[in-house]
Amino acid sequence: MKTRAVGAVPKASADSLIPAQPSAQLQPAEAGNALARLMGKRIKGSTEQYQNGQNAAQQRLDALISPQSSTTLHVEGALELASRAFLPPDEEGYARLRHLDAGLRMIEAAFPQVSTDIEVCRLTCTMLEGAWRSRALTPPREEEQTEEQPTVCACPLCRRLPTPPARTLDDYRWRQSAGRPLTVKTWPYRRELDSVLTGGWSLVRQMNDLERDLGHRQGFEDDILVFHEYKRVIDTIDTTRLTELVEGRLAESFSTNSARALVCGLYAAHKRSADEYWLQQHQAGSVMLPQTNPLSQSTYALLQMLDCLFWHVSPDTELWQEEHLASLLLCRVIDDMADVRADSLTGEISNFWLAEMPTHTKALYAACAIALVKYGCMPEAHPPMWNTWLMTSTVAWLGLTGRHALWFDGITQDLPPAQECPLCDLQPNACAGILTHGTTLTITPRPTAPELSTRTAELSARCRAQYPETWPLFDAELHAFEALHGPWSGNTDTAWEILRRTYIAAVEASGAAPSPARARQVQEDAGAVGCEYFYTLHDPETGREDTTLLAYLFGCAHPHFLWNAMGYRPTGVAGDWLDG
């Protein structure tokens, strides 16, 4: 029988930090404060094991460079900031919350082990309802009508903000989860799992489970299947169906994460319902939704955490570890960076580039994501936590599907110089305190390996022979990568084929005349090469090595295609089926 253990089962609902109550009885401001308190009490500070790993990594990097002057940038802890007070829901919103609460109470009665998860869902959905109504009915202040200009801030990050291209809905027709562009499926005999979303989830599990198998590597029969089942019937979820699932499959073979997946499914249904309601109100002319939304740094982080906590299964022992939560939040940031223009067109409320945060704060969050990608490339990052492959595998997955803007929107003309580049010189950082006490980013000249290892040198030689103009940049990035990672021992043929059609192709396109068609060609071919080579990343000997190199070049190497996906130029809010 397949192992279903997920770590120690949490205590029953009597241990819940905040008494459960129907969402309809809470006001959004109260929900935000209660959620911040719950999260603050649950989060576990960095352990000695984490700190020892970070110290060892820093000592290894310090040995490669002479002492240099540095610049530091502090990111405030999101939960320590005041939450935004929202308007109460309207009658439709209260009805949605009562419907949600009925389902949550049923799950809690059957599975008290997930009472904290259920309370997070209640509070988050109450905040979400308030945020939507506040966005619809509260006129933006004059200074919030337009995005703050980068010239307002002279910090090294804001000076590097990209100029976004204009986009329309037609530019995002490819962005769907229903199969394209991953034509080779992870489980071809299960149509309900026939999506790039599940393929990416599978990749994360493969990476995590190679040494410490928690039974999730092929564990899609329970929590993933349940989540997709809720996703498919999102418009017809009712308590009868929920009762059948609780009393049937899950009661026979209990898994804490299966129960969590039920909660996540209800949250997804509620969020979709609220999104569609307010977009329909906008399209009917009943309200006028502005391009901004009322999410502050604190409310953004809080609203995103439920989206994160159940998407990436982890042992209960590290579910609330601050390094784990930082990884979840910053993976969401990467999603939001890449999706920002699509969301500005479709009215998605959770995207933080549309939030009422200063541009500088958004730049700090994007820099944190890049610093965490670099941290995930270091071998010292992985032993303490099962889920430490989340960021690196996510970045590799985004680049290999062509589903996000890494190549399509991230290609900019006239590459900025790599010398004294603050993004290149961002030091790796676990960003552990991003929710609690804050984190400090350091910018100092990056270390480079004195010489390349055998397989990495072969990649460099192939680039020099085939793409001589791109080779100096590519070779320099390989030296910087091996300083972080150490000698690379991946699959040279696989890595080269992927990189020449993604990273190198994008660099080549950047140096040519501006061409949206060429950018789209690179984006589409990234999906094609992902179809061909996705399964090689599951190889237990070379898969992690290949994934780490791809994550570095897709996520944090110059010319920073991830960073170049930051900007947005919104047009009118409209609705569209952009499933992501």
Side-chain angles (χ1 to χ4, degrees):
M1 179 177 290
K2 178 175 62 70
T3 303
R4 293 177 181 267
V6 294
V9 176
K11 295 179 182 179
S13 58
D15 196 35
S16 182
L17 295 168
I18 297 178
Q21 53 183 306
S23 295
Q25 294 181 6
L26 281 173
Q27 294 301 312
E30 297 171 347
N33 292 332
L35 183 55
R37 290 195 302 270
L38 185 151
M39 296 282 291
K41 291 180 179 178
R42 278 290 187 191
I43 292 175
K44 302 173 183 176
S46 186
T47 65
E48 184 177 356
Q49 186 181 17
Y50 288 99
Q51 293 168 0
N52 289 341
Q54 293 174 37
N55 292 338
Q58 191 59 55
Q59 290 173 8
R60 182 170 58 82
L61 296 182
D62 289 344
L64 295 175
I65 56 174
S66 303
Q68 302 275 354
S69 61
S70 61
T71 300
T72 58
L73 296 166
H74 185 68
V75 185
E76 295 182 272
L79 298 185
E80 295 183 355
L81 303 173
S83 296
R84 175 75 179 269
F86 295 134
L87 294 173
D90 59 9
E91 286 303 314
E92 292 284 344
Y94 277 126
R96 285 190 294 271
L97 289 171
R98 285 192 293 269
H99 181 70
L100 170 75
D101 195 69
L104 291 176
R105 285 182 175 277
M106 195 169 299
I107 296 173
E108 188 170 25
F111 305 110
Q113 293 88 343
V114 294
S115 60
T116 297
D117 311 70
I118 287 169
E119 190 60 16
V120 169
C121 183
R122 281 196 181 100
L123 298 172
T124 301
C125 289
T126 304
M127 286 180 62
L128 183 67
E129 291 286 354
W132 265 117
R133 189 158 184 253
S134 298
R135 182 187 187 191
L137 302 182
T138 304
R141 294 186 293 275
E142 189 66 28
E143 64 270 20
E144 294 164 353
Q145 293 282 357
T146 59
E147 175 70 2
E148 181 188 350
Q149 296 301 310
T151 53
V152 172
C153 177
C155 83
L157 297 179
C158 291
R159 289 200 304 267
R160 302 283 292 213
L161 288 175
T163 300
R167 296 294 182 202
T168 67
L169 284 172
D170 286 337
D171 291 311
Y172 294 94
R173 298 297 178 192
W174 55 270
R175 180 181 170 269
Q176 298 180 6
S177 291
R180 293 184 304 157
L182 187 64
T183 55
V184 181
K185 306 305 178 186
T186 308
W187 298 290
Y189 54 90
R190 282 189 177 274
R191 291 185 60 82
E192 66 271 20
L193 301 174
D194 197 12
S195 73
V196 296
L197 176 65
T198 306
W201 202 334
S202 169
L203 175 59
V204 174
R205 289 185 168 197
Q206 292 279 355
M207 295 295 102
N208 287 336
D209 266 357
L210 285 180
E211 281 100 22
R212 199 165 10 138
D213 190 350
L214 299 181
H216 296 325
R217 194 181 311 176
Q218 305 297 336
F220 55 87
E221 289 93 341
D222 45 29
D223 45 310
I224 290 183
L225 179 58
V226 171
F227 176 78
H228 276 273
E229 190 161 354
Y230 272 91
K231 201 167 189 292
R232 287 201 313 275
V233 298
I234 207 163
D235 294 321
T236 58
I237 290 176
D238 56 35
T239 54
T240 301
R241 179 70 171 150
L242 180 61
T243 303
E244 292 174 2
L245 285 168
V246 169
E247 295 180 352
R249 182 190 315 147
L250 295 184
E252 293 173 3
S253 184
F254 173 71
S255 158
T256 302
N257 285 321
S258 294
R260 285 191 178 123
L262 288 174
V263 178
C264 190
L266 289 181
Y267 170 75
H270 185 98
K271 184 177 184 298
R272 173 100 174 240
S273 178
D275 289 353
E276 291 181 344
Y277 170 76
W278 286 106
L279 289 173
Q280 289 166 2
Q281 294 287 94
H282 173 84
Q283 291 168 338
S286 302
V287 300
M288 293 298 294
L289 293 173
Q291 289 296 336
T292 58
N293 71 47
L295 302 185
S296 64
Q297 184 176 354
S298 176
T299 52
Y300 167 78
L302 289 169
L303 281 173
Q304 297 293 35
M305 288 319 296
L306 190 82
D307 251 356
C308 300
L309 279 170
F310 316 132
W311 279 79
H312 298 285
V313 179
S314 66
D316 289 336
T317 52
E318 67 185 49
L319 182 66
W320 294 99
Q321 192 68 43
E322 63 178 352
E323 285 86 355
H324 177 233
L325 297 179
S327 179
L328 294 179
L329 179 60
L330 291 174
C331 279
R332 223 15 246 216
V333 166
I334 281 183
D335 262 345
D336 287 349
M337 288 170 64
D339 288 351
V340 62
R341 280 181 292 282
D343 291 337
S344 73
L345 295 169
T346 60
E348 167 65 51
I349 195 171
S350 63
N351 190 291
F352 81 96
W353 258 262
L354 305 180
E356 292 181 359
M357 271 193 277
T359 299
H360 176 67
T361 302
K362 299 171 188 178
L364 284 175
Y365 269 43
C368 283
I370 289 175
L372 185 59
V373 174
K374 293 185 178 184
Y375 181 74
C377 291
M378 299 193 297
E380 294 89 349
H382 300 292
M385 189 167 68
W386 180 79
N387 218 11
T388 46
W389 284 96
L390 177 58
M391 180 62 90
T392 45
S393 57
T394 296
V395 175
W397 174 247
L398 295 181
L400 285 175
T401 57
R403 178 171 172 257
H404 284 276
L406 294 176
W407 317 123
F408 180 39
D409 280 342
I411 295 177
T412 56
Q413 305 305 318
D414 301 323
L415 298 182
Q419 292 75 21
E420 299 183 357
C421 170
L423 297 171
C424 290
D425 291 340
L426 267 175
Q427 297 303 294
N429 194 321
C431 301
I434 196 168
L435 288 172
T436 52
H437 57 279
T439 191
T440 299
L441 298 175
T442 301
I443 299 173
T444 193
R446 66 182 182 179
T448 60
E451 58 184 32
L452 296 178
S453 61
T454 303
R455 296 190 187 185
T456 317
E458 173 62 22
L459 293 177
S460 178
R462 293 189 188 187
C463 184
R464 188 171 192 173
Q466 299 179 37
Y467 304 95
E469 293 185 3
T470 297
W471 172 75
L473 176 63
F474 184 66
D475 183 72
E477 290 302 330
L478 292 179
H479 279 80
F481 166 73
E482 287 213 323
L484 293 173
H485 175 272
W488 181 74
S489 57
N491 186 316
T492 306
D493 292 335
T494 296
W496 173 248
E497 183 64 16
I498 292 173
L499 289 173
R500 75 173 186 86
R501 293 166 64 179
T502 51
Y503 179 79
I504 292 174
V507 173
E508 292 273 310
S510 298
S515 172
R518 174 61 176 142
R520 183 59 177 268
Q521 181 183 349
V522 174
Q523 179 260 324
E524 290 180 340
D525 194 49
V529 74
C531 293
E532 296 173 44
Y533 288 92
F534 170 70
Y535 296 96
T536 65
L537 302 184
H538 290 241
D539 188 303
E541 293 186 6
T542 60
R544 281 183 172 175
E545 292 285 288
D546 295 341
T547 298
T548 306
L549 179 60
L550 295 177
Y552 178 83
L553 288 165
F554 293 175
C556 55
H558 194 82
H560 307 293
F561 292 114
L562 185 62
W563 178 268
N564 290 335
M566 274 189 63
Y568 78 96
R569 185 181 302 166
T571 59
V573 176
D576 186 34
W577 185 72
L578 292 175
D579 183 8

